[in-house]
C-alpha cells in the first residue's frame, strides 16, 4: 500500500477534505437532531389536540342530539349512561387500561362524585392554575408522572348553566343521580372551575423512536460521507495528481546532465506544486532560447506584415457582419411585442450571420421553455453542467456547437443560446468575444421587453381599479369635457337622463369648479381637495369632490371629479329631525291634555246645567256657544292625547286589506254626496301585519277625510291600493286623490305637529303627526308625494308579521 508523504499535495488535500466533511457533518447532524425533537413535540401536541376535539364532538352529540332524544323518549327519568355527557365521554375516551394506548384521557374534579375521578396532586395543581388564571383556556407541557415524562394538555371544566342540573343543588338533581352517588359532587357554584379535561401522552415511546431514526440516519450519513470522501480522493488522484506527475516527468526527461540531476534531486523534497515552480525555471530558460530564434525570424518581418494585414482585413469584414447583425437584432426588438416574438425574429438573423444549421434559445427560469430555428427543429439537450454555466457565465464549446449564456449581466442570466454548425465546421476561439456580446445584447433586449410588458400590465391593473371604484369617478379636461368615466359614472348619467333631468342640472353635476392656473403653493403637486354640494330639481343631492392633477409640460390641466350621492342620508336626517319634533311635542301635548281636560269637563257640565235652568232664548243661545267651543277644545285635547298616546300594541295580527275595505264601505256614501268615486285595489294575498285594527282604522279615517277635503267639486276620485314587496318584508298602503296636491314648499312640513292648511276650527294640525307617530312606533314609515297628473299620494309601509 502506498502511503503519501506528509508534505505532498495529496496529503494536504486529504487532511483538509476530512476536516471540512467533519465540520459539515457536525452542523447537519446537530440541525437534524433539533428538527426531529421539534417534530416530536409538534406530533405529541397535535395528538393531544385531536383527543380533546374528539371529546368535544362526543359531548356536543350528547348535549344536542342524544340527551334531547332521551328526554323525548323518557321525560320522567334521567338515564346516566345515555344523558350524562361526562359519563359518556369518559366511557368512550378513557383508554388507560388498554395495553397499546398511546394516550391517557381523564376528566377529573375536586370533590368528584365518583372517587375514581378525584383529582390527584398533578391535576389539583392544574385546577389551581386555571382558577388563578381565569383568562387561560389551555395548558400544555411536560410533567413527571410515576417517574415517567408525560406530555400533558389540559383545559378547565367550568360549571355553566347547563351543568347545574347535575352539579348544582342536591334537591334540584335527578333522583337517579342522588340514588347512585348520594350527596357527593353537588353544590358547585355556577361559572366556577371545579375540574379539568386532561390528555397525557408518554413521550418515552416517541423519544425511543426518534433516537432510533436519528442513529440510523447517522450511520447512513457516515457511510455516504466515506463513499464521497473516497470518490473525491480517487477523482483528485486521477485528474490532478496524475497530470501533475506526468508534467513533472516531462521536465525530468529534459535534464540529463550533472546540473539537471542535482536540480531534480532538490525539487523531490517538496510537493508537486513546488516541483512545478522549480520546473518553471527550466521553462524560462527555454523561453530565452525561443527569443533567440525569434530574432532569426526578423528578416521575414515584411512577409509577416502582409499576412497580418490580410488577416485584419478578414476581421474587418467579420466585424461589419457582426455590426449589421446587431443592428438587425435591435430592429427586431422594435417590432416585437413580447419575448416570444423577439426570439422568433432574432434566431434567423443569428443563423444567417454564423452560418448555422440549427439555433435555439432555452429559457431556464420558465420551465425550460425553448424557441428554435427552423421552426420544426427539436430543442437541444442541456449539458450536465448547465447550472454551473448559468452561475459562472462562460461559453461552452462542444465540437460544432456552442452554448452562450444570455442575460443583461453576469448576475442576471435568463437562459442559454444554442448555436449549431455543420459537422465539419467548428467554432473558433476568435468568435468567443462576439458570441458573448450577442448573448449580452439579447439579454438586454429581452429584459426591456419584460419591463414594457410589466408597464402595460400595471396600466391594465390601474384601469381595473378605476372601473372597480363603486362611486362615480370622472376625468375632465379644463373645459369640463369628460375624458374618462368609470362604470358607476356612466350608470349615474344614464339614470339622470332617464329621469329627464334638465341639461343645466347635468352640467352642474358634472362640471366641478374648474379654475385655470395652478393652485397657489402647490407647484408640481396635487391641489387642495375642493368639495361642494349640488341638489337637482328631482330632489336628488350629491357631494362633488374635485382634485386638480399635476400639470405636465406641454399638456393641458386635468381634473378628477368624484361624485357621492347623499340623497338617502339627507332623507334619513330629515326623519330623525321629524322624530325629535314628535317627541318634544308629545311631552308638551301630554302635559296640556292632563292640565286642561278636567277644567273643560267642569265647564261643559256646568254649561249644560245652566242651559237647563235658563228660560230666555238669548241666554240659551249664548250657553250653546260656550258648549260648542268647549267641545271643540275637548276634540283638540283628544287629538293631543292620541298624539301623546302610549306605545302602539303589536301583539295582534291584522289584515290591512280587510280593515281598508270595511272603512271604505263607510266612506262611499260620504264620497257620493260630494260627487266623488272611492275605489280599493288589493294585491296583498291576505298578508297580515302586527298592529291593532283600531290603529289602521284611525289612520285611514284621517287620510280619507283629508283626501275628501282636497277633492274638486266635480269629478273627484280617491283610490286606495294595498300591495306587498317582492321580499315580503313590507305591505304598502297607498291613498291617492286627484285634488289640488301639496305645495312643494310645505311638503317637508306637513308631518309637523299643529301644521295645517285648513281654515280655522276645521283642523287641529295633529292628524298627520299622529299617523307619523303610529308608523314610527310600528317600525314602518310614511311618505307624501305629488302625482305627475295632479293630486297627491300618501305611501304607508307596514312591516309584515313574521311567519312561525
Amino acid at each position: 500500500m502506498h502511503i503519501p508523504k506528509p508534505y505532498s499535495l495529496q496529503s494536504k488535500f486529504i487532511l483538509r477534505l476530512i476536516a471540512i466533511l467533519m465540520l459539515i457533518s457536525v452542523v447537519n447532524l446537530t440541525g437534524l437532531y433539533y428538527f426531529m425533537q421539534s417534530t416530536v413535540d409538534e406530533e405529541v401536541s397535535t395528538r393531544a389536540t385531536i383527543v380533546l376535539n374528539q371529546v368535544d364532538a362526543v359531548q356536543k352529540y350528547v348535549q344536542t342530539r342524544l340527551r334531547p332524544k332521551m328526554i323525548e323518549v323518557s321525560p320522567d327519568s334521567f338515564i346516566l349512561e345515555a344523558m350524562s355527557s361526562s359519563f359518556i365521554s369518559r366511557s368512550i375516551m378513557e383508554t388507560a387500561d388498554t395495553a397499546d394506548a398511546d394516550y391517557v384521557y381523564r376528566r377529573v374534579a375536586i370533590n368528584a362524585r365518583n372517587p375514581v375521578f378525584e383529582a390527584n396532586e398533578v391535576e389539583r395543581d392544574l385546577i389551581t392554575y386555571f382558577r388563578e388564571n381565569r383568562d387561560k383556556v389551555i395548558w400544555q407541557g411536560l410533567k413527571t408522572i410515576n417517574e415517567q415524562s408525560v406530555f400533558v394538555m389540559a383545559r378547565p371544566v367550568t360549571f355553566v348553566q347547563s351543568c347545574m342540573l347535575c352539579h348544582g343543588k342536591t334537591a334540584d338533581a335527578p333522583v337517579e343521580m342522588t340514588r347512585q352517588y348520594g350527596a357527593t359532587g353537588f353544590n358547585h357554584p355556577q361559572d366556577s372551575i371545579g375540574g379539568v379535561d386532561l390528555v397525557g401522552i408518554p413521550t418515552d415511546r416517541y423519544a425511543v423512536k426518534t433516537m432510533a431514526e436519528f442513529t440510523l440516519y447517522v450511520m447512513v450519513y457516515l457511510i455516504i460521507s466515506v463513499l464521497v470522501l473516497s470518490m473525491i480522493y480517487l477523482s483528485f488522484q486521477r485528474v490532478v495528481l496524475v497530470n501533475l506527475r506526468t508534467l513533472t516527468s516531462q521536465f525530468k526527461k529534459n535534464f540529463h546532465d550533472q546540473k539537471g540531476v542535482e536540480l531534480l534531486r532538490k525539487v523531490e523534497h517538496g510537493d508537486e506544486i513546488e516541483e512545478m515552480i522549480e520546473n518553471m525555471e527550466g521553462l524560462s530558460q527555454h523561453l530565452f532560447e525561443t527569443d533567440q530564434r525569434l530574432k532569426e525570424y526578423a528578416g521575414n518581418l515584411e512577409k509577416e506584415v502582409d499576412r497580418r494585414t490580410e488577416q485584419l482585413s478578414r476581421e474587418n469584414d467579420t466585424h461589419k457582419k457582426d455590426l449589421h447583425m446587431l443592428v438587425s437584432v435591435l430592429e427586431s426588438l422594435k417590432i416585437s411585442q413580447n419575448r416570444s416574438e423577439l426570439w422568433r425574429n432574432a434566431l434567423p438573423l443569428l443563423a444567417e450571420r454564423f452560418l448555422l444549421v440549427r439555433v435555439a434559445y432555452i429559457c431556464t427560469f420558465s420551465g425550460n421553455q425553448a424557441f428554435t430555428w427552423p421552426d420544426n427543429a427539436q430543442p437541444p439537450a442541456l449539458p450536465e453542467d448547465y447550472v454551473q454555466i448559468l452561475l459562472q457565465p462562460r461559453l461552452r464549446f462542444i465540437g460544432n456547437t456552442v452554448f452562450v449564456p444570455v442575460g443583461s449581466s453576469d448576475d442576471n442570466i435568463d437562459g442559454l443560446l444554442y448555436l449549431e454548425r455543420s459537422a465539419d465546421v467548428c467554432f473558433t476561439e476568435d468568435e468567443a468575444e462576439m458570441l458573448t456580446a450577442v448573448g449580452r445584447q439579447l439579454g438586454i433586449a429581452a429584459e426591456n421587453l419584460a419591463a414594457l410588458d410589466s408597464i402595460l400590465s400595471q396600466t391594465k391593473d390601474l384601469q381595473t381599479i378605476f372601473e372597480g371604484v363603486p362611486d362615480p369617478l370622472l376625468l375632465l379636461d379644463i373645459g369640463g369635457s369628460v375624458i374618462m368615466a368609470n362604470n358607476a359614472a356612466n350608470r349615474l348619467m344614464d339614470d339622470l337622463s332617464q329621469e329627464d333631468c334638465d341639461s343645466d342640472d347635468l352640467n352642474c353635476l358634472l362640471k366641478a369648479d374648474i379654475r385655470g392656473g395652478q393652485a397657489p403653493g402647490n407647484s408640481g403637486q396635487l391641489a387642495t381637495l375642493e368639495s361642494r354640494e349640488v341638489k337637482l330639481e328631482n330632489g336628488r343631492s350629491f357631494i362633488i369632490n374635485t382634485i386638480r392633477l399635476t400639470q405636465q409640460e406641454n399638456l393641458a390641466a386635468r381634473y378628477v371629479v368624484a361624485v357621492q350621492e347623499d340623497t338617502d342620508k339627507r332623507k334619513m336626517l330629515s326623519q330623525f329631525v321629524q322624530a325629535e319634533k314628535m317627541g318634544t311635542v308629545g311631552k308638551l301635548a301630554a302635559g296640556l291634555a292632563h292640565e286642561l281636560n278636567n277644567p273643560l269637563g267642569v265647564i261643559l257640565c256646568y254649561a249644560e246645567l245652566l242651559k237647563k235652568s235658563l228660560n230666555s232664548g238669548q241666554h240659551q243661545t249664548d250657553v250653546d256657544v260656550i258648549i260648542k267651543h268647549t267641545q271643540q277644545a275637548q276634540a283638540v285635547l283628544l287629538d293631543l292625547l292620541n298624539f301623546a298616546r302610549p306605545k302602539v300594541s303589536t301583539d295582534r295580527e291584522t289584515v290591512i286589506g280587510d280593515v281598508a275595505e270595511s272603512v271604505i264601505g263607510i266612506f262611499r256614501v260620504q264620497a257620493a254626496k260630494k260627487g266623488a268615486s272611492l275605489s280599493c285595489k288589493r294585491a296583498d294575498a291576505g298578508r297580515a301585519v302586527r298592529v291593532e285594527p283600531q290603529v289602521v282604522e284611525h289612520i285611514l279615517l284621517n287620510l280619507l277625510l283629508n283626501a275628501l277635503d282636497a277633492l274638486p267639486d266635480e269629478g273627484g276620485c280617491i283610490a286606495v291600493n294595498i300591495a306587498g314587496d317582492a321580499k315580503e318584508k313590507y305591505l304598502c298602503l297607498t291613498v291617492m286623490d286627484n285634488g289640488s296636491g301639496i305645495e312643494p314648499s310645505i311638503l317637508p312640513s306637513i308631518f309637523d305637529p299643529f301644521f295645517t292648511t285648513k281654515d280655522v276650527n276645521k283642523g287641529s294640525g295633529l292628524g298627520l303627526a299622529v299617523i307619523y307617530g303610529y308608523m314610527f312606533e310600528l317600525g314602518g314609515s310614511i311618505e307624501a308625494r305629488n302625482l305627475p297628473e295632479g293630486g297627491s299620494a300618501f305611501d304607508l309601509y307596514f312591516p309584515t308579521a313574521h311567519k312561525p
Side-chain angles (χ1 to χ4, degrees):
M1 179 178 179
H2 174 70
I3 300 177
K5 299 178 182 180
Y7 52 80
S8 66
L9 181 63
Q10 181 179 356
S11 301
K12 295 178 181 178
F13 177 80
I14 293 175
L15 292 175
R16 293 177 182 177
L17 182 61
I18 292 174
I20 293 173
L21 287 177
M22 290 179 64
L23 178 60
I24 295 174
S25 300
V26 170
V27 174
N28 286 340
L29 294 179
T30 302
L32 175 64
Y33 178 80
Y34 284 106
F35 172 77
M36 295 181 72
Q37 284 295 112
S38 64
T39 303
V40 170
D41 294 341
E42 183 177 355
E43 181 179 356
V44 172
S45 177
T46 302
R47 176 62 174 154
T49 303
I50 292 174
V51 172
L52 290 179
N53 290 338
Q54 291 175 341
V55 172
D56 291 339
V58 172
Q59 292 183 349
K60 183 177 180 181
Y61 175 78
V62 173
Q63 295 170 358
T64 60
R65 302 290 297 276
L66 185 56
R67 184 185 296 168
K69 187 64 178 180
M70 292 301 300
I71 293 174
E72 179 182 348
V73 174
S74 180
D76 298 327
S77 61
F78 185 90
I79 303 174
L80 179 65
E81 293 79 359
M83 301 175 70
S84 173
S85 60
S86 299
F87 183 91
I88 295 174
S89 63
R90 287 193 183 105
S91 302
I92 294 175
M93 301 305 301
E94 285 183 349
T95 58
D97 298 332
T98 305
D100 59 346
D102 62 344
Y103 73 92
V104 175
Y105 169 74
R106 282 176 60 81
R107 184 181 179 91
V108 298
I110 297 176
N111 188 23
R113 181 176 291 115
N114 190 338
V116 177
F117 307 122
E118 183 67 28
N120 56 32
E121 183 178 356
V122 174
E123 294 158 345
R124 285 177 177 272
D125 291 341
L126 291 173
I127 294 173
T128 302
Y129 169 79
F130 286 118
R131 286 177 176 177
E132 294 175 353
N133 301 272
R134 300 286 294 190
D135 58 328
K136 304 295 183 182
V137 296
I138 200 75
W139 185 95
Q140 60 181 6
L142 293 177
K143 293 281 188 180
T144 301
I145 303 176
N146 297 329
E147 299 181 355
Q148 185 180 10
S149 179
V150 178
F151 176 84
V152 175
M153 180 176 287
R155 62 185 182 186
V157 175
T158 305
F159 292 100
V160 296
Q161 180 62 36
S162 60
C163 303
M164 290 296 99
L165 177 63
C166 299
H167 297 278
K169 295 181 180 180
T170 308
D172 299 335
V175 178
E176 292 81 353
M177 297 289 290
T178 57
R179 184 186 302 126
Q180 182 170 352
Y181 295 109
T184 306
F186 295 98
N187 301 319
H188 290 282
Q190 184 176 344
D191 297 328
S192 64
I193 297 176
V196 292
D197 275 337
L198 180 143
V199 178
I201 302 178
T203 60
D204 294 341
R205 178 185 303 178
Y206 293 91
V208 171
K209 179 181 176 182
T210 303
M211 186 56 64
E213 293 176 352
F214 180 78
T215 303
L216 177 62
Y217 181 86
V218 170
M219 295 176 62
V220 174
Y221 188 90
L222 292 177
I223 294 173
I224 294 175
S225 298
V226 172
L227 292 176
V228 171
L229 181 61
S230 301
M231 293 175 62
I232 293 175
Y233 170 75
L234 294 176
S235 300
F236 176 81
Q237 192 177 38
R238 181 71 178 172
V239 176
V240 178
L241 293 181
V242 173
N243 292 330
L244 285 176
R245 289 169 182 168
T246 302
L247 184 59
T248 304
S249 63
Q250 295 298 325
F251 282 99
K252 292 178 180 180
K253 291 180 181 180
N254 297 324
F255 294 93
H256 301 289
D257 57 345
Q258 184 64 29
K259 184 177 179 180
V261 173
E262 292 177 356
L263 179 61
L264 290 174
R265 190 178 296 121
K266 179 179 179 181
V267 299
E268 286 176 354
H269 294 286
D271 58 23
E272 291 80 358
I273 299 298
E274 292 174 349
E275 292 182 16
M276 287 294 299
I277 294 174
E278 296 293 339
N279 291 332
M280 288 301 294
E281 295 180 359
L283 179 60
S284 66
Q285 180 63 30
H286 175 69
L287 292 176
F288 175 77
E289 295 173 357
T290 302
D291 181 69
Q292 295 297 321
R293 289 195 298 270
L294 286 176
K295 292 179 180 180
E296 296 177 1
Y297 295 143
N300 300 324
L301 182 59
E302 185 177 352
K303 294 180 180 179
E304 183 67 19
V305 170
D306 293 339
R307 185 187 65 80
R308 182 58 180 167
T309 300
E310 184 180 356
Q311 182 181 359
L312 291 175
S313 177
R314 289 195 301 270
E315 291 178 357
N316 186 38
D317 294 338
T318 303
H319 291 162
K320 288 182 179 179
K321 295 179 181 179
D322 294 338
L323 180 60
H324 176 72
M325 186 266 298
L326 292 176
V327 171
S328 300
V329 170
L330 293 177
E331 290 179 352
S332 66
L333 174 63
K334 293 173 59 178
I335 62 175
S336 300
Q337 300 296 325
N338 49 50
R339 289 192 174 192
S340 300
E341 294 184 8
L342 173 65
W343 291 113
R344 291 191 181 95
N345 295 328
L347 292 182
L349 299 175
L350 296 175
E352 179 183 359
R353 164 61 185 87
F354 294 105
L355 304 177
L356 306 175
V357 296
R358 183 171 61 152
V359 58
Y361 170 72
I362 304 98
C363 183
T364 56
F365 290 98
S366 299
N368 290 343
Q369 183 182 10
F371 303 92
T372 60
W373 180 92
D375 293 337
N376 57 353
Q378 293 295 325
L382 293 174
E384 296 181 357
D385 60 343
Y386 79 93
V387 176
Q388 192 66 22
I389 298 175
L390 296 174
L391 297 177
Q392 298 178 354
R394 66 183 187 278
L395 300 179
R396 175 67 183 274
F397 293 95
I398 306 176
N400 63 327
T401 63
V402 62
F403 285 93
V404 181
V406 177
S408 59
S409 63
D410 290 345
D411 297 330
N412 190 20
I413 302 299
D414 295 332
L416 293 175
L417 187 63
Y418 172 80
L419 308 178
E420 180 182 350
R421 285 178 172 172
S422 302
D424 55 343
V425 181
C426 296
F427 290 92
T428 63
E429 294 293 337
D430 296 337
E431 295 175 314
E433 183 178 356
M434 184 57 196
L435 292 174
T436 302
V438 168
R440 184 62 50 86
Q441 292 299 322
L442 289 174
I444 294 173
E447 187 174 297
N448 291 338
L449 278 178
L452 178 60
D453 184 66
S454 177
I455 293 174
L456 294 176
S457 177
Q458 292 178 6
T459 302
K460 293 180 181 178
D461 293 341
L462 291 176
Q463 181 68 24
T464 303
I465 295 172
F466 181 81
E467 293 295 340
V469 173
D471 290 333
L473 200 63
L474 304 100
L475 180 64
L476 307 180
D477 60 12
I478 195 170
S481 300
V482 178
I483 300 174
M484 184 184 301
N486 63 357
N487 293 332
N490 292 329
R491 289 194 298 269
L492 177 61
M493 294 303 101
D494 293 339
D495 293 343
L496 295 177
S497 298
Q498 294 174 4
E499 293 174 4
D500 297 329
C501 289
D502 188 81
S503 59
D504 293 336
D505 287 341
L506 290 175
N507 293 333
C508 184
L509 179 62
L510 287 181
K511 295 184 180 179
D513 296 329
I514 298 175
R515 298 191 298 268
Q518 187 73 19
N522 287 320
S523 178
Q525 303 293 331
L526 290 177
T528 304
L529 177 67
E530 296 181 1
S531 298
R532 63 189 180 97
E533 296 182 358
V534 175
K535 188 171 183 180
L536 305 184
E537 291 183 354
N538 61 0
R540 298 179 67 175
S541 61
F542 301 86
I543 297 177
I544 311 298
N545 297 315
T546 307
I547 300 176
R548 178 189 174 99
L549 298 180
T550 303
Q551 184 173 357
Q552 300 179 359
E553 186 176 0
N554 299 328
L555 292 178
R558 294 185 177 183
Y559 298 83
V560 174
V561 177
V563 182
Q564 292 180 336
E565 184 171 1
D566 63 342
T567 306
D568 295 336
K569 180 179 178 181
R570 288 176 175 271
K571 184 177 180 181
M572 185 179 298
L573 182 60
S574 176
Q575 293 177 351
F576 286 160
V577 173
Q578 182 67 23
E580 188 69 21
K581 292 179 180 178
M582 298 287 288
T584 303
V585 177
K587 294 179 181 179
L588 174 63
L592 288 175
H594 177 74
E595 296 295 333
L596 297 180
N597 196 34
N598 291 333
L600 287 176
V602 173
I603 294 173
L604 182 62
C605 179
Y606 278 91
E608 290 175 349
L609 292 175
L610 181 63
K611 180 180 179 181
K612 293 179 180 179
S613 62
L614 294 175
N615 296 324
S616 173
Q618 180 62 38
H619 290 166
Q620 287 189 346
T621 301
D622 294 336
V623 172
D624 288 336
V625 172
I626 295 173
I627 294 174
K628 176 182 177 182
H629 287 278
T630 304
Q631 289 175 344
Q632 288 180 353
Q634 284 185 328
V636 173
L637 287 178
L638 180 61
D639 289 338
L640 284 174
L641 288 173
N642 288 333
F643 183 80
R645 73 202 178 288
K647 181 175 179 63
V648 178
S649 173
T650 58
D651 295 335
R652 184 175 176 182
E653 293 186 2
T654 300
V655 179
I656 293 180
D658 297 342
V659 177
E661 289 181 346
S662 176
V663 174
I664 290 172
I666 297 173
F667 269 81
R668 279 200 173 97
V669 177
Q670 189 173 354
K673 291 180 180 179
K674 200 170 182 179
S677 63
L678 182 59
S679 62
C680 179
K681 182 178 180 182
R682 294 180 59 179
D684 58 343
R687 286 159 58 186
V689 299
R690 289 194 175 274
V691 63
E692 294 290 338
Q694 293 81 0
V695 174
V696 181
E697 291 176 356
H698 186 272
I699 292 173
L700 278 172
L701 285 173
N702 277 277
L703 293 177
L704 291 175
L705 286 174
N706 290 342
L708 286 172
D709 292 340
L711 291 178
D713 296 335
E714 296 180 359
C717 178
I718 301 175
V720 178
N721 296 333
I722 305 171
D725 65 333
K727 297 183 179 180
E728 298 186 359
K729 290 186 177 181
Y730 292 92
L731 277 177
C732 180
L733 172 65
T734 303
V735 178
M736 297 181 292
D737 63 74
N738 62 344
S740 57
I742 305 172
E743 289 293 333
S745 60
I746 67 172
L747 189 60
S749 305
I750 62 173
F751 295 109
D752 291 347
F754 307 110
F755 180 88
T756 180
T757 58
K758 297 182 179 179
D759 296 335
V760 179
N761 296 329
K762 288 190 176 182
S764 62
L766 290 173
L768 291 179
V770 171
I771 295 174
Y772 186 95
Y774 281 147
M775 299 306 297
F776 181 82
E777 291 182 3
L778 289 173
S781 62
I782 180 172
E783 296 177 0
R785 54 189 171 90
N786 287 316
L787 300 176
E789 61 274 13
S792 61
F794 287 83
D795 299 318
L796 295 91
Y797 296 90
F798 292 84
T800 57
H802 296 290
K803 296 181 180 179

